[in-house]
Amino acid sequence: MELTITQPDDWHLHLRDGSLLQAVLPHSAKQFGRAIVMPNLKPPITTTSAAVAYRESILKAIPKDSNFNPLMTLYLTDMTTPDEIKLAKKSGLVYGVKLYPAGATTNSQDGVTDIFGNCFSVLEEMAEKNLPLLVHGEVTNSNIDIFDREKVFIETILEPLVQRLPQLKVVMEHITTADAVKFVESCKEGYVAATVTPQHLLLNRNALFQSGLQPHNYCLPVLKREIHRQAIVSAVTSGSKRFFLGTDSAPHDRRNKECSCGCAGIYNSPVALSLYAKVFEEAGALDKLEAFTSFNGPDFYGLPRNKLKIRLRKAPWKVPDYLSFPFGDIVPMFAGETLEWEALPC
């Protein structure tokens, strides 16, 4: 069996910088036409000038035979100004502003502490300039159970925000719960959407603990119960335009995952399209795969769909146990396992 689909885009990608950027970028550039690049570097990408400089470093690392186009984002802080939003929009290179609640995930310590008190004028400017807010949707209050933090964020932050500023475009990134599905589906189409990762479509929280602690299945937002995984699968395979591909591929050196305090993040770029195809095939919805991978994202962002095509061929292949680089190893998602689909250029 073989499918030919419009070249997909990745609407949520971590490329890092330095040697790690050079190591992982070819895996994304091989399959995806564009990617929304996350800004949580050290230091974070908080200004348009920093985003432009980061883009230049990405462009230098792109393989010569690739048409990959990085779409840049800014990291929202309590100190971001409306003028910075104007600069971002004017640049033509910044496509969204990322909201990290302070302390929510990797390199988020500089994130927002009070979105309504410190950032509302910035959000108003974003709505005026049609620049989407990209949301890591979890509260960071340590009194809230980690498995409930997405639900509480929706109730206390997102619902009030959408009510107060309905013209602001919002992407709820890497959704993990039935609550998020319900929220996105309740909002006005074209204004609120969600990205969905391979891990949250295929794994539930049992995958963290099977046969011992599994650090390479640890990500944030953390994997949830099976009932939530099923709700997300139903949503993305329904044909709804509100959901689109965002891998949240987040590479870490193996030593930073397999340690006493391991980093959050799953590296899935080499296997993402294979895994999305698996999900849609098992749901009997391969006819809806192309819209999820290639149409819904650019349509939401107001960008043209890609013109190139790729092939998805049903042919078993084994995922490497690890990928070696001069700085160390990266363990990909489903390392050592056999997958049934592979992505090929046309």
Side-chain angles (χ1 to χ4, degrees):
M1 183 187 297
E2 186 170 295
L3 302 175
T4 299
I5 64 171
T6 301
Q7 185 178 32
D9 301 302
D10 187 346
W11 299 97
H12 186 118
L13 177 64
H14 296 272
L15 286 175
R16 312 304 192 203
D17 55 3
S19 59
L20 197 50
L21 164 65
Q22 294 178 27
V24 302
L25 177 56
H27 291 136
S28 293
K30 181 180 178 181
Q31 304 177 75
F32 298 105
R34 297 167 288 200
I36 288 282
V37 180
M38 292 296 111
N40 57 329
L41 304 184
K42 289 184 178 180
I45 306 299
T46 58
T47 66
T48 304
S49 60
V52 171
Y54 183 27
R55 182 175 184 270
E56 287 300 315
S57 68
I58 295 170
L59 292 176
K60 291 177 182 177
I62 295 174
K64 288 185 169 60
D65 60 349
S66 172
N67 68 329
F68 183 78
N69 182 19
L71 310 178
M72 308 313 293
T73 61
L74 297 188
Y75 184 116
L76 184 65
T77 75
D78 290 340
M79 305 303 293
T80 303
T81 65
D83 285 342
E84 191 62 55
I85 300 305
K86 293 174 183 175
L87 287 173
K89 185 66 176 181
K90 186 177 180 180
S91 75
L93 299 175
V94 175
Y95 290 84
V97 178
K98 183 67 185 288
L99 166 61
Y100 291 102
T105 189
T106 303
N107 296 343
S108 64
Q109 61 271 18
D110 297 306
V112 171
T113 61
D114 181 356
I115 190 168
F116 294 109
N118 297 332
C119 302
F120 201 74
S121 64
V122 171
L123 300 179
E124 289 178 315
E125 186 65 32
M126 288 170 58
E128 175 70 23
K129 294 293 186 287
N130 198 31
L131 197 62
L133 178 69
L134 317 181
V135 177
H136 182 112
E138 292 185 290
V139 296
T140 56
N141 186 334
S142 61
N143 293 322
I144 306 298
D145 189 288
I146 192 169
F147 295 104
D148 296 330
R149 291 180 183 179
E150 185 170 276
K151 180 177 184 291
V152 174
F153 185 90
I154 292 169
E155 294 170 347
T156 61
I157 304 294
L158 268 188
E159 287 180 348
L161 176 60
V162 170
Q163 290 170 5
R164 289 183 62 179
L165 205 55
Q167 67 273 36
L168 176 67
K169 296 188 79 166
V170 175
V171 180
M172 192 172 183
E173 302 286 355
H174 42 53
I175 62 169
T176 68
T177 60
D179 307 278
V181 170
K182 183 178 179 181
F183 169 73
V184 172
E185 290 178 339
S186 73
C187 295
K188 184 177 179 181
E189 188 174 293
Y191 284 87
V192 177
T195 57
V196 185
T197 75
Q199 54 265 30
H200 293 110
L201 287 168
L202 285 164
L203 303 176
N204 61 38
R205 65 188 188 178
N206 290 339
L208 290 165
F209 309 110
Q210 287 171 343
S211 303
L213 191 63
Q214 301 296 325
H216 297 289
N217 289 337
Y218 171 53
C219 59
L220 288 172
V222 73
L223 301 171
K224 302 299 195 299
R225 290 179 181 272
E226 175 64 10
I227 189 172
H228 295 296
R229 187 194 71 83
Q230 291 178 3
I232 298 169
V233 170
S234 295
V236 303
T237 59
S238 69
S240 171
K241 297 178 181 179
R242 302 170 189 264
F243 305 95
F244 43 86
L245 185 159
T247 64
D248 192 21
S249 187
H252 292 282
D253 188 309
R254 182 177 192 162
R255 292 166 294 188
N256 294 329
K257 292 287 288 180
E258 299 175 3
C259 59
S260 61
C261 187
C263 294
I266 293 176
Y267 185 58
N268 61 36
S269 287
V271 299
L273 290 181
S274 301
L275 297 179
Y276 286 123
K278 170 182 170 67
V279 169
F280 278 76
E281 181 184 32
E282 291 178 351
L286 278 174
D287 60 315
K288 298 181 176 65
L289 176 64
E290 185 177 32
F292 173 78
T293 61
S294 312
F295 297 162
N296 297 348
D299 291 355
F300 181 85
Y301 276 88
L303 296 172
R305 298 173 180 179
N306 291 324
K307 304 234 181 259
L308 296 181
K309 303 285 186 179
I310 67 160
R311 291 182 295 146
L312 292 170
R313 182 174 65 189
K314 194 162 189 186
W317 65 284
K318 185 178 179 182
V319 182
D321 292 327
Y322 55 87
L323 304 166
S324 289
F325 303 98
F327 58 79
D329 298 336
I330 301 175
V331 178
M333 186 178 176
F334 280 29
E337 298 191 31
T338 298
L339 302 183
E340 297 299 320
W341 290 89
E342 64 175 341
L344 303 165
C346 276

